[in-house]
Amino acid sequence: MAVGLSSLPPLLPVPGVRLATVCAGIKKPGRRDLVLIELVEGACCTAVFTRNAFCAAPVVVAKRHLAQGIPRYLLINTGNANAGTGERGLQDASSCCQSLAKIMDVMPEQVLPFSTGVIGEPLPVTPIFNAMPAACKALSETGWVEAAHGIMTTDTVAKGVSRQVEIAGQMITVTGIAKGAGMIRPDMATMLAFVATDAKVAAPLLQQFLQAAVQDSFNSITVDGDTSTNDACVLIATGCSPMEEITASDDAAFAALARTVREVCIALAQAIVRDGEGATKFITIEVEGGADNEECRQAAYAVAHSPLVKTAFFASDPNWGRILAAVGRAGIRDLDVARVAVFLDELCIVTKGGRAPDYQEEQGRAVMAREEITVRIDLGRGTHTARLWTCDFSYDYVRINAEYRT
Amino acid sequence: MAVGLSSLPPLLPVPGVRLATVCAGIKKPGRRDLVLIELVEGACCTAVFTRNAFCAAPVVVAKRHLAQGIPRYLLINTGNANAGTGERGLQDASSCCQSLAKIMDVMPEQVLPFSTGVIGEPLPVTPIFNAMPAACKALSETGWVEAAHGIMTTDTVAKGVSRQVEIAGQMITVTGIAKGAGMIRPDMATMLAFVATDAKVAAPLLQQFLQAAVQDSFNSITVDGDTSTNDACVLIATGCSPMEEITASDDAAFAALARTVREVCIALAQAIVRDGEGATKFITIEVEGGADNEECRQAAYAVAHSPLVKTAFFASDPNWGRILAAVGRAGIRDLDVARVAVFLDELCIVTKGGRAPDYQEEQGRAVMAREEITVRIDLGRGTHTARLWTCDFSYDYVRINAEYRT
């Protein structure tokens, strides 16, 4: 189903992180729907959240707890988003944290709650309470693969990736998992992603790594333009590696870890698009020649969100008119159409705002038949660029979202 | 197919306007694809056009001609949009005007060209030249119904409406036709609409009527969020009625004509949505309680464009979580979710940002099963309002746009 996404690669343990996945029966019996992640004492944890004004109760509580305590546990459920649930939703999220804190003998503020699934239904807290003891017992450093499955909703494949990098003589691991397939146009982070490393990094620097990585990864994808109420991306540094703490002044170590975190985030973000609801194509949109970064992103999103462009990709139709029409309505000030060029992979299809002189329709069809395509748009008015990833729009997107209750 | 759209109502002739529709064979033989509209000498004509930066060649030429001359002829073809066609497209549009001007013995600047259909293909001018003499001979005051058919592309029904209003003892007629079903999120006007009255109005006032009417009609609909390269809306006042000229100081006459033009434009705009590609539902979105007009429109468009909301309408699923999530990402500053209420027709489904206490899912399903539904969203932060019309998102939207070459 997912475009170019093979089965989950091996996920390397991150010393200092243990995970457990159980079937709590939140929505359906027998489904892995509750994931617990434990961080070693002294681990550093940072996060970014959705900017949707209708953010879910767990987002509100997780933000509050992050500000108050040093996280030791992340509690993630699928099957229910605990969003649009008002005061009761906040109480439910808090009581889950309290219940876990009691078992594990930590402060409730040291537990961050995350939920994904149906919006607007009260969170079934009893099955969650009941499943907690089993989850606590099952915690294991090798629990990443199970956890990647346990956070899925409409995802057709589990998503995870590991990278290793040598920093100052130490082999450092970065492992991450993510979920998401629809309601994907992250405004801050994707639906849920959890990335951990055993590197030693202090909180302010870790936040900096996360924000930079998120901008180029989860904030550069779109499936349907809908921003979730529950988006969250967490980055953990356990500090379990016997290394010196990475600081901003240590250029080489800083760059190496930043690059590796970014790679992991990009791989996870791309996996979400590859598994986009109903996706049959994986599309990279590169806009170059912009007067600034923002107008490049504007143009890229206008193309990526256009239902007409997306259905043309589904049909393998090299319909460059629809691409130009989307760029034209992107709201770029004083855009001179006569300077715009468009490429499908290596093939130039538009120059000077019109069909390229040598372009033949069969060539376009051949490129569009590929499963992975890069659309490159040159605005011809500057040196700035932007890149994002999206997928096509198929019958199955409609079927999935007509049948599934978000 | 079209939601609640019966066959074309009788279209009343407008003294001073004659129309002809012929089969020129632009894309397919035997299809009515060329419409000629003649305005009596002395008629006043005003227009609004797409603001898409990739506006089509006929839009460029029509704007130029409007600035240079007093229009006597509108020449409209379907089957080819003459968009993304560069310098040659401009020449083609001009030479069509010249050719007609020669036959009719007017200046080329007195002809306005309009095109709709496939983007990016050169306009086949020879069949248009060849069909012109027949079109000129066929001009008739009763040609409105034929013309409504002649401007269709993916439309499943022809769209037209007539209204009459008594102004200062004279019965005045306003008749309009329009086309459009996809690539509909007018930024200025819909794809093509032609409205005429026999009232006597000077150009500046006529432009005022048009702009006010367009804002509440064609600029308040969306099918798929894609703005066409060819949008245009023309308003003609032939002045053939034996009335005094309507001026801004004549409050009653001014208001009566403004209201009637607005009614005609709203009926045509709604007809476009009812015939939206793949539409099975006609949705009115009303946002109230906004701090200003703009934020009400922002919220309404966010809901109207959300693929998740649109597929929920297709599935008759009262998925208020998706509606709230769309409002939440609309970019309204400091939106207090706890004040938001949502109604489906008469049914209150959300209060204080969460499910309404008395709301039962079956009630929501019953309303959502209707073919025409009003979603009313109260932002709870002011007195401003906005209203727009849209349709749902079905398998057929994907089918139509995967099969049809815009």
Side-chain angles (χ1 to χ4, degrees):
Chain A
M1 199 68 144
V3 184
L5 213 59
S6 50
S7 54
L8 208 54
L11 299 181
L12 302 171
V14 177
V17 175
R18 298 197 305 159
L19 309 94
T21 303
V22 295
C23 304
I26 292 167
K27 196 176 168 195
K28 290 180 204 160
R31 177 178 163 188
R32 290 172 286 194
D33 55 9
L34 192 68
V35 174
L36 180 61
I37 304 181
E38 182 193 62
L39 318 186
V40 71
E41 204 165 348
C44 189
C45 176
T46 182
V48 286
F49 296 94
T50 182
R51 284 187 288 205
N52 193 312
F54 278 93
C55 69
V59 170
V60 175
V61 174
K63 279 182 179 171
R64 192 191 300 153
H65 285 188
L66 254 180
Q68 292 172 340
I70 293 166
R72 289 293 313 285
Y73 292 93
L74 314 182
L75 182 67
I76 308 132
N77 73 273
T78 57
N80 186 301
N82 193 8
T85 45
E87 192 53 43
R88 172 168 171 190
L90 294 171
Q91 282 165 14
D92 288 343
S94 294
S95 65
C96 287
C97 296
Q98 281 157 12
S99 177
L100 183 72
K102 205 166 167 188
I103 299 174
M104 290 312 211
D105 195 21
V106 296
M107 305 290 292
E109 294 74 35
Q110 294 184 282
V111 181
L112 305 185
F114 301 87
S115 297
T116 176
V118 180
I119 296 177
E121 309 278 337
L123 185 69
V125 289
T126 311
I128 296 177
F129 291 165
N130 292 343
M132 273 181 198
C136 295
K137 268 187 217 132
L139 284 166
S140 152
E141 280 202 357
T142 59
W144 284 96
V145 170
E146 277 288 294
H149 282 94
I151 60 174
M152 288 166 64
T153 52
T154 57
D155 307 61
T156 68
V157 295
K159 301 167 184 75
V161 64
S162 286
R163 291 279 187 279
Q164 288 195 308
V165 58
E166 202 185 302
I167 299 181
Q170 292 295 331
M171 190 58 79
I172 294 296
T173 299
V174 180
T175 293
I177 56 173
K179 62 111 353 196
M183 209 183 244
I184 298 290
R185 196 287 203 215
D187 192 15
M188 189 57 173
T190 186
M191 290 199 67
L192 292 178
F194 303 95
V195 179
T197 175
D198 53 346
K200 225 176 246 142
V201 194
L205 209 58
L206 198 65
Q207 180 75 25
Q208 209 174 308
F209 283 134
L210 179 61
Q211 273 167 353
V214 159
Q215 182 60 15
D216 293 345
S217 57
F218 300 114
N219 278 358
S220 294
I221 61 173
T222 183
V223 169
D224 49 16
D226 273 308
T227 305
S228 161
T229 47
N230 291 57
D231 287 353
C233 177
V234 177
L235 177 61
I236 298 152
T238 64
C240 287
S241 167
M243 71 187 315
E244 294 281 301
E245 186 181 309
I246 295 177
T247 62
S249 59
D250 181 355
D251 286 350
F254 182 92
L257 187 59
R259 191 176 58 244
T260 311
V261 169
R262 185 172 174 274
E263 272 176 29
V264 167
C265 287
I266 287 178
L268 293 175
Q270 290 188 349
I272 287 172
V273 171
R274 289 174 184 281
D275 195 23
E277 288 172 349
T280 73
K281 300 256 167 75
F282 176 75
I283 317 289
T284 302
I285 299 181
E286 294 178 353
V287 177
E288 57 189 39
D292 58 44
N293 221 237
E294 194 40 43
E295 71 176 32
C296 294
R297 280 176 73 87
Q298 257 172 274
Y301 272 117
V303 173
H305 287 152
S306 160
L308 292 173
V309 171
K310 289 169 102 77
T311 47
F313 276 113
F314 172 54
S316 298
D317 174 9
N319 195 318
W320 54 270
R322 293 185 184 176
I323 297 172
L324 289 191
V327 172
R329 71 168 165 85
I332 298 176
R333 237 186 132 83
D334 304 325
L335 176 67
D336 181 358
V337 176
R339 289 168 168 275
V340 174
V342 180
F343 299 78
L344 295 177
D345 284 350
E346 72 291 349
L347 179 67
C348 178
I349 59 169
V350 168
T351 51
K352 301 180 180 174
R355 181 205 293 259
D358 297 338
Y359 169 63
Q360 303 287 334
E361 174 94 3
E362 314 84 85
Q363 301 172 303
R365 295 213 165 266
V367 175
M368 288 294 273
R370 295 173 191 161
E371 214 177 57
E372 307 203 3
I373 304 158
T374 296
V375 182
R376 184 156 58 87
I377 299 158
D378 188 341
L379 299 176
R381 50 194 253 136
T383 58
H384 290 264
T385 62
R387 180 174 60 169
L388 58 86
W389 297 282
T390 191
C391 56
D392 60 331
F393 217 164
S394 70
Y395 294 113
D396 273 352
Y397 180 86
V398 177
R399 184 185 54 73
I400 292 164
N401 285 297
E403 286 173 5
Y404 176 77
R405 172 58 78 90
T406 315
Chain B
M1 198 68 147
V3 183
L5 213 59
S6 50
S7 55
L8 208 54
L11 298 182
L12 302 172
V14 176
V17 176
R18 298 196 306 158
L19 310 93
T21 304
V22 295
C23 305
I26 292 167
K27 196 177 170 195
K28 289 179 205 161
R31 177 179 162 185
R32 290 172 283 195
D33 55 9
L34 192 69
V35 173
L36 181 61
I37 303 180
E38 182 192 62
L39 319 187
V40 70
E41 203 164 351
C44 188
C45 175
T46 181
V48 288
F49 296 94
T50 182
R51 285 186 289 205
N52 194 313
F54 279 93
C55 70
V59 170
V60 175
V61 173
K63 280 182 180 173
R64 191 192 299 152
H65 285 190
L66 254 179
Q68 291 172 341
I70 293 167
R72 290 291 315 283
Y73 294 93
L74 314 182
L75 183 67
I76 309 132
N77 75 272
T78 57
N80 187 301
N82 193 7
T85 44
E87 192 51 45
R88 173 169 170 191
L90 293 171
Q91 282 165 15
D92 288 343
S94 294
S95 65
C96 287
C97 296
Q98 281 156 14
S99 178
L100 183 71
K102 206 166 165 186
I103 300 175
M104 290 313 209
D105 196 21
V106 296
M107 306 290 290
E109 295 74 34
Q110 294 184 282
V111 181
L112 306 184
F114 301 87
S115 298
T116 176
V118 181
I119 297 177
E121 309 278 338
L123 183 71
V125 289
T126 312
I128 295 176
F129 292 165
N130 292 343
M132 271 180 201
C136 296
K137 266 186 220 135
L139 284 166
S140 151
E141 281 203 354
T142 59
W144 284 96
V145 169
E146 277 289 293
H149 283 95
I151 60 175
M152 288 166 64
T153 51
T154 58
D155 308 62
T156 68
V157 294
K159 300 168 185 73
V161 65
S162 285
R163 292 276 188 279
Q164 287 195 309
V165 58
E166 202 184 304
I167 299 181
Q170 292 296 330
M171 190 58 77
I172 294 297
T173 300
V174 180
T175 293
I177 57 174
K179 64 114 348 200
M183 208 181 242
I184 298 290
R185 195 284 202 217
D187 193 15
M188 190 57 175
T190 187
M191 290 198 66
L192 291 178
F194 303 95
V195 180
T197 176
D198 52 345
K200 225 175 248 143
V201 194
L205 210 56
L206 198 65
Q207 181 75 23
Q208 208 173 310
F209 283 134
L210 179 62
Q211 274 167 350
V214 159
Q215 182 60 15
D216 294 344
S217 57
F218 301 113
N219 278 358
S220 294
I221 61 173
T222 183
V223 168
D224 49 15
D226 272 309
T227 305
S228 160
T229 49
N230 291 56
D231 288 351
C233 177
V234 177
L235 177 62
I236 298 152
T238 64
C240 287
S241 168
M243 70 188 315
E244 293 281 300
E245 186 181 311
I246 295 177
T247 62
S249 59
D250 181 355
D251 286 348
F254 182 92
L257 188 60
R259 191 176 58 243
T260 311
V261 168
R262 185 172 174 274
E263 272 175 29
V264 166
C265 287
I266 287 179
L268 292 174
Q270 290 188 348
I272 288 172
V273 171
R274 290 174 184 281
D275 196 24
E277 287 172 350
T280 72
K281 299 254 166 77
F282 176 74
I283 316 289
T284 302
I285 299 181
E286 294 178 352
V287 177
E288 57 187 41
D292 58 44
N293 222 238
E294 194 42 41
E295 70 176 33
C296 294
R297 280 176 74 86
Q298 256 173 273
Y301 271 117
V303 173
H305 286 152
S306 161
L308 291 174
V309 171
K310 290 169 100 77
T311 47
F313 275 113
F314 173 53
S316 299
D317 174 9
N319 195 319
W320 54 269
R322 293 185 185 175
I323 297 172
L324 288 191
V327 172
R329 71 171 166 84
I332 299 176
R333 236 185 132 84
D334 304 325
L335 177 66
D336 181 359
V337 176
R339 289 168 168 277
V340 174
V342 180
F343 299 78
L344 294 178
D345 283 348
E346 71 291 349
L347 179 67
C348 178
I349 59 171
V350 169
T351 51
K352 300 181 181 173
R355 180 206 294 261
D358 297 337
Y359 168 63
Q360 303 288 333
E361 174 93 3
E362 312 86 85
Q363 300 172 305
R365 293 212 166 268
V367 175
M368 288 294 273
R370 296 174 190 160
E371 215 177 56
E372 308 205 1
I373 303 158
T374 296
V375 182
R376 184 156 59 87
I377 299 159
D378 187 341
L379 299 176
R381 48 194 256 137
T383 57
H384 290 264
T385 63
R387 180 174 62 168
L388 59 85
W389 297 280
T390 190
C391 55
D392 60 331
F393 217 163
S394 70
Y395 294 112
D396 273 352
Y397 179 86
V398 177
R399 185 187 53 73
I400 291 164
N401 285 297
E403 285 174 4
Y404 176 78
R405 172 59 78 90
T406 315

